[in-house]
Amino acid sequence: MDLKEMKKHADALDDSKKREPLKKAKRSPKRLLIGAFLLLLGFFAFYFNDTQQLYGNDEESILKVIHSIEGYENNSIEIVEIKDMNDRRYAGFLSDNNPGYIQFQKTKTEIISGSK
């Protein structure tokens, strides 16, 4: 294939000469208002969506927290006793027959959430 044929094929592939310039889209105030409203709605849905997991309300969630702590992942855990004092909950446990405890603090809604 010589140079003329290559140029001919390149021109055939290059259809940009045939295109018209793009027109700017009209931005009506109504569209901007709807877009701003949807953006604001999305922000509030994300901000006020309380997906925080609560722990300490039952023995199963206490075990889940203990197993998530480094060094206790694969240990055998046995809850010995759970005591509530004021706004705190203490859970005594045995980890492979070694004693330990974990402390939880009640939230404003009186639901107990996990803490170290």
Side-chain angles (χ1 to χ4, degrees), residues 54-58 61-63 65-66 84-85 87-91 102-106 112-116:
L54 299 175
Y55 295 103
N57 286 336
D58 57 12
S61 67
I62 292 171
L63 287 170
V65 171
I66 294 171
D84 293 321
M85 291 183 233
D87 65 342
R88 305 215 187 266
R89 173 170 278 183
Y90 298 92
I102 189 165
Q103 172 188 326
F104 296 88
Q105 183 172 354
K106 290 183 183 179
I112 300 172
S113 66
S115 66
K116 288 187 178 181

Side-chain angles (χ1 to χ4, degrees), residues 59 62-69 71-80 91-98 100 102:
E59 200 169 307
I62 292 171
L63 287 170
K64 192 181 230 182
V65 171
I66 294 171
H67 281 294
S68 71
I69 298 171
Y72 292 96
E73 299 95 345
N74 300 318
N75 292 6
S76 163
I77 305 294
E78 177 189 343
I79 302 292
V80 178
F93 63 91
L94 293 174
S95 170
D96 291 337
N97 293 322
N98 293 318
I102 189 165

Side-chain angles (χ1 to χ4, degrees), residues 20-42:
E20 293 180 19
L22 293 175
K23 296 179 182 177
K24 288 188 178 181
K26 294 182 181 178
R27 295 183 184 172
S28 67
K30 188 176 180 181
R31 283 188 179 188
L32 289 175
L33 188 62
I34 290 172
F37 175 74
L38 290 175
L39 188 63
L40 189 64
L41 184 67

